[in-house]
Structures are given as C-alpha cells and as structure tokens.
Amino acid sequence: MAAYQLAQQALAGEFAARWAETLAAVEAREIAGSLTELEAEWSAAVRESAAASRVLSIAFYRLVRALETGRVIGGPGYRPGASLGSLWADFNRATGKRTGSGPSTALPMDTRDPFPAEDLAREARRAEETFRHQVADRVAAHERERPARHGSSALDDPALVAWEKEFAESLKTGSTGAGGMLVQDAGRDAIHAALQDDPGAIGYYRKTDASPCYFCALMAGRGAVYKSKRTAAFGAHPHCHCQAVPIFSRRYQLPAENGKFSRMWRDFGGGSLADWRTYYSTTTKT
C-alpha cells in the first residue's frame, strides 16, 4: 500500500529534520568537542522514530493479513473483538491519515503472537555503532587531516571555510541516510520476524519507491520471496525507502514496477552487478 510506504518515508524524514536541526546548531569545527551531546540527540531521534516505525508496521501487517485471510493475528496492539473497521482505524492512526475503513464485525482470531519483543539493548548497540562509523570516526579523521591541509590558517580563511562546509554537508548526508535506515529497519525487521513465525504467511515482495536504485530494482524484480530462514534478509541500504509487503495468499498481485524490473533483468541477459548497474542506469534514462 502506498500509504504505508509514504508513512515510513515520513518517519525517516522526521528523523532527518530533527538531526539536521541538531547539526545546524553546531559549527563544523566544534563538532569534535560536541560528540557526546550529538550522540545523545542522534540516539533519541533514532529511537523515537524507530518505535513509531515498528508500531506502523505491526498495524500494516495485521491489516493486510486480515484483508487477505479474514482472520486477525494477536500481538502488540491487538484488542479483543478486532474488526476490519478497528484495524483500519489503527492503521490510519499510525499513518496520521484516513486511508481506509471497514465493517465493525468482529473477526476470528489467531492467538499466535508472531511479533518479537523489542530488543532495546540490541537497537541501542546498533545505533551506537552506526553513530561511531558515520559520525565519530569521520570527525576524528577530519580533525587529523586539518593540520596537514591548512596548518595555521585563520578561521575565516576561505579555503578552510569551504573545506569545513563540504565536510559538514558530507557528514550530514551520510549520517542522515544511515539513521533513516535504522528508523525504517525497525518496521522492516518486525515484518520479517512476523513472516517467519506466522503459519498463515507465505512470504513478501519488495515495494520500491518511485525511482529505485539499481540494487533495489534488481531485488524487486525477483517478485515474491517465499519465506525461509535463507530469504529472511531484506537488504535495505541508507536512503532506501523500499518496504516488505507481506503475502498471505497465492492469489497476490505484484505492483507493475516489479514486473517491469523483472523484464529488464531478463533483457539484460546476465553479467556482474556492476554491469547491471550500468545497464539499469542507461535504460532508465532513455
């Protein structure tokens, strides 16, 4: 559903806006001395948006499952007597928009809870590692490079100012993409875990955004990915807005884009991933 994908993108956007505001309040040359405060802000922004992503994904999964099977699954957010009407209301609340409605007749329930408990310690470690890689390590390398490049240049030296500005923009781009991936991964991971533990689930397909990169186009071109431990990984990357759409019936219908990418792969005829990247770039520009 487009509403789900747009809502997940909006959550990544909320994180990006909050993080951009935090970075804007610190001069580039002062970032090294502000890492503790920056990490605290980064972690809080990721944590809050990721929690909303997880809630949204659970509401989406439960709604799609009910629409396709006529049954409701238990787990976080389930309320006794749930109906398509109440599931749509939960989904609308999570997206912040009214995207659908349904009858109030209570649905049969499958008591199994396929959604894993939140592993807050794991999520905190992942956020810490990502911040270290995308911010702290890069800032340390930048600080080491400054004396060699600019020596004792005045702080208002045009070359130094331009260099600091370029670094700040690069830091913002990299850390924003990585943080947005963590935010959306909270929801993607919830769906993947549920698929593995839900007997009613068959698999998923990859729903791309309007202009996916070569990798995402290739993954979407696979079509449906039937569940197994081997195929559980989704393969998202920074700035990726693809989502996993769960499948509960063999009568599913893939978006037109998936078929288009599958045909492109067949026309490509085989080769390395680098060759596919060139072919995809050339083909989509014509």
Side-chain angles (χ1 to χ4, degrees):
M1 294 181 182
Y4 171 68
Q5 189 169 34
L6 290 174
Q8 287 287 10
Q9 290 183 33
L11 289 173
E14 288 176 9
F15 159 78
R18 179 172 171 179
W19 179 235
E21 184 178 357
T22 298
L23 284 177
V26 182
E27 292 287 342
R29 60 177 176 269
E30 297 174 352
I31 290 177
S34 306
L35 287 178
T36 300
E37 294 81 3
L38 287 174
E39 183 173 4
E41 289 292 331
W42 155 277
S43 297
V46 168
R47 182 171 60 252
E48 291 174 21
S49 292
S53 172
R54 173 180 162 83
V55 169
L56 171 60
S57 287
I58 292 175
F60 174 67
Y61 185 99
R62 183 173 282 125
L63 174 61
V64 172
R65 190 184 194 278
L67 288 170
E68 292 194 14
T69 69
R71 302 182 66 84
V72 65
I73 194 81
Y78 170 78
R79 295 191 302 276
S83 64
L84 282 177
S86 68
L87 297 184
W88 270 113
D90 292 342
F91 181 68
N92 293 340
R93 190 178 305 110
T95 61
K97 296 181 179 179
R98 181 176 173 79
T99 57
S101 61
S104 58
T105 305
L107 295 168
M109 180 188 175
D110 292 326
T111 57
R112 190 183 194 97
D113 175 2
F115 304 104
E118 290 182 271
D119 189 341
L120 298 180
R122 173 184 172 274
E123 292 172 11
R125 287 194 301 271
R126 191 178 179 199
E128 180 182 356
E129 291 168 1
T130 303
F131 181 86
R132 182 171 65 249
H133 177 68
Q134 291 291 339
V135 181
D137 290 351
R138 296 186 63 198
V139 168
H142 181 73
E143 291 297 304
R144 290 193 298 270
E145 187 179 354
R146 181 186 288 110
R149 285 182 60 109
H150 297 283
S152 58
S153 298
L155 293 179
D156 60 352
D157 178 75
L160 177 58
V161 171
W163 182 68
E164 295 283 16
K165 182 178 180 180
E166 181 182 3
F167 169 71
E169 286 300 315
S170 174
L171 187 73
K172 176 183 173 183
T173 299
S175 58
T176 297
M181 183 177 71
L182 292 181
V183 167
Q184 294 184 87
D185 275 355
R188 288 186 284 239
D189 290 350
I191 285 182
H192 272 284
L195 285 169
Q196 298 302 318
D197 202 36
D198 181 357
I202 294 175
Y204 73 92
Y205 65 82
R206 191 185 193 98
K207 177 70 172 67
T208 69
D209 58 17
S211 183
C213 71
Y214 73 100
F215 174 79
C216 292
L218 178 59
M219 294 297 100
R222 294 184 300 173
V225 179
Y226 300 106
K227 72 176 186 179
S228 72
K229 295 298 183 183
R230 186 177 62 83
T231 59
F234 185 77
H237 58 80
H239 302 289
C240 175
H241 296 302
C242 295
Q243 301 298 333
V245 178
I247 299 169
F248 302 94
S249 168
R250 295 286 178 179
R251 297 185 297 275
Y252 64 85
Q253 184 172 359
L254 293 172
E257 291 81 1
N258 294 64
K260 181 180 94 172
F261 298 140
S262 181
R263 290 190 296 273
M264 285 180 65
W265 175 254
R266 289 197 300 270
D267 292 342
F268 167 58
S272 68
L273 191 59
D275 293 336
W276 162 251
R277 181 176 188 174
T278 300
Y279 176 84
Y280 176 74
S281 177
T282 302
T283 304
T284 52
K285 286 180 181 178
T286 59

